[in-house]
Amino acid sequence: MSDIDKLRREIDAVDDALLELINRRAALAGRVGALKQGAPVYRPEREAEILGRVQKHNPGPLPAERVAGIFGEVISACRGLEEAIRVTYLGPEGTFSEQAVRKHFGRAVDALAVPSVDEAFRRAEARSAQFTVVPVENSTEGVVGRTLDLLLATPLRICAEIELRVQQNLLSNAAMKSIQRVYSHAQSLAQCNAWLGQNLPQAERVPVASNAEAAQRASKEEGAAAIAGELAAERYGLAVLARSIEDSPNNTTRFLVLGEIDPAPTGRDRTSLVLSAENKPGAVHALLTPLAQHGVSMTRIESRPARSAAALWEYMFFIDLEGHQKDPRIAQALTELRARAPFLKVLGSYPAAVH
């Protein structure tokens, strides 16, 4: 028997052991589900704890991100045995929003593409889906204003966040030298401007509504290519001609998971809130003072105009804090903020994204 055959037999034995252990885990998860007596199957704080632990204890050679992806799918498969979960997202299929859903929830969910962020919120609010995943900000393009506006009024709470590295790829079934036009969303075209100028200077750049639409068009036209994620290549049967062609290597989009659950503290959490300030000098500084006094770290603040005719030139402030609203220091700061702010809404406390 050759050395390769011996190693393959060892791999087969490991695969058999993995199969047995995965099914044993599924059985244990089922027993936990039976003891929950109707409690939600999806618990983002527990899943974040598991993924954080396996990444921390990972000895390699697999990188931590790949290990998290494998365990995420195991969790998803076990969760799917207990309850069918439906998640809406901003479509169409093959977008980065769908990629975010798959990264966080795994393959064992019913992922439903909808045409707008408004519809994604509406489906979850009407309980035709348990959760929705919506983009909230991009590291190069800034916040998604419509998502912030809808957060102000929705009864849904933020129960998790997802950070997705946006990898732009050139997709086509044509040879690189024969590409005459490149389809993509306008932002993606802008993000890949330098690469396109160097590698496809003569190709026409055609903006479309989404990267998924770009991939769909490229799959049907000779001499056409699309800039999109790998999921779009898989969905529309395209080859990946070039990977990571974006000009900024750290292009990341943050997504929110919204639903009707309130995750418990994990020790590595984030709290999001929105509040208003009186229209007078020093009002914003006065609102932020309780955070400093109680040692609460603010990771983001974003202002948006108040959507009210009676509040012309007044602003709402969206703030992210490090920690959970049940943490004593944050609870004390929120109590003082409520006494000072004309309006305050806690949008949710949830586990920080697992990288």
Side-chain angles (χ1 to χ4, degrees):
M1 183 183 297
S2 68
D3 290 342
I4 290 178
D5 289 335
K6 290 178 182 178
L7 289 171
R8 285 173 174 167
R9 287 199 173 187
E10 284 189 48
I11 289 173
D12 290 344
V14 170
D15 287 344
D16 290 342
L18 283 173
L19 180 62
E20 181 180 351
L21 288 170
I22 289 170
N23 280 289
R24 181 182 171 192
R25 188 197 189 284
L28 289 169
R31 288 171 60 185
V32 170
L35 293 173
K36 285 181 178 178
Q37 298 181 339
V41 171
Y42 167 63
R43 297 303 311 181
E45 71 273 27
R46 172 61 177 156
E47 295 185 9
E49 177 191 346
I50 294 170
L51 296 179
R53 188 182 73 248
V54 297
Q55 285 185 298
K56 181 180 179 181
H57 295 157
N58 173 40
L62 286 176
E65 183 179 356
R66 294 292 176 87
V67 168
I70 292 168
F71 274 82
E73 288 297 338
V74 171
I75 292 170
S76 177
C78 293
R79 191 198 316 119
L81 290 175
E82 297 183 57
E83 181 185 359
I85 293 179
R86 171 172 276 198
V87 183
T88 63
Y89 66 92
L90 177 63
E93 292 183 354
T95 58
F96 287 114
S97 290
E98 184 186 4
Q99 199 171 321
V101 171
R102 298 304 181 190
K103 177 181 179 181
H104 187 76
F105 285 96
R107 298 277 172 175
V109 295
D110 181 10
L112 178 65
V114 295
S116 67
V117 172
D118 295 62
E119 183 66 8
F121 271 81
R122 191 192 69 77
R123 292 289 186 98
E125 289 168 355
R127 298 185 178 178
S128 61
Q130 292 101 315
F131 303 98
T132 188
V133 170
V134 292
V136 68
E137 63 178 323
N138 177 266
S139 59
T140 59
E141 301 295 333
V143 299
V144 180
R146 188 56 185 160
T147 296
L148 295 186
D149 292 340
L150 292 169
L151 283 171
L152 194 59
T154 186
L156 302 174
R157 279 101 62 196
I158 304 172
C159 48
E161 66 174 359
I162 309 158
E163 289 185 357
L164 183 70
R165 167 77 167 79
V166 178
Q167 183 184 55
Q168 304 282 14
N169 308 293
L170 186 73
L171 314 179
S172 182
N173 288 327
M176 181 83 77
K177 62 182 180 180
S178 64
I179 292 173
Q180 300 171 2
R181 72 194 67 84
V182 179
Y183 292 106
S184 195
H185 189 278
Q187 288 185 355
S188 295
L189 289 171
Q191 290 169 8
C192 304
N193 182 63
W195 190 94
L196 289 170
Q198 182 176 355
N199 294 276
L200 293 171
Q202 304 303 322
E204 179 186 7
R205 304 179 193 182
V206 184
V208 291
S210 71
N211 290 354
E213 180 186 335
Q216 190 174 27
R217 289 196 182 197
S219 69
K220 298 177 180 179
E221 296 182 21
E222 290 187 10
I227 294 175
E230 285 193 63
L231 189 57
E234 178 185 322
R235 281 276 187 271
Y236 299 103
L238 293 165
V240 180
L241 299 187
R243 299 179 188 274
S244 299
I245 65 173
E246 63 277 3
D247 299 336
S248 173
N250 298 314
N251 189 9
T252 300
T253 297
R254 179 177 171 229
F255 295 82
L256 301 177
V257 180
L258 300 168
E260 295 184 343
I261 62 174
D262 296 302
T266 67
R268 187 175 174 273
D269 303 292
R270 184 168 295 182
T271 294
S272 295
L273 59 140
V274 57
L275 50 80
S276 64
E278 293 181 301
N279 190 9
K280 64 180 184 180
V284 175
H285 180 270
L287 284 179
L288 299 181
T289 299
L291 302 178
Q293 289 178 337
H294 293 284
V296 177
S297 177
M298 181 175 64
T299 59
R300 182 177 71 102
I301 181 169
E302 189 77 30
S303 65
R304 292 282 295 167
R307 301 294 181 180
S308 170
L312 186 63
W313 305 117
E314 292 187 7
Y315 287 82
M316 309 299 293
F317 296 89
F318 291 81
I319 297 174
D320 288 340
L321 308 175
E322 281 189 1
H324 196 281
Q325 61 183 315
K326 292 185 178 179
D327 296 345
R329 58 193 176 85
I330 291 186
Q332 292 171 0
L334 288 175
T335 297
E336 294 183 22
L337 279 174
R338 285 190 177 96
R340 299 186 185 198
F343 171 85
L344 186 147
K345 177 185 178 184
V346 175
L347 302 173
S349 289
Y350 47 93
V354 176
H355 298 285

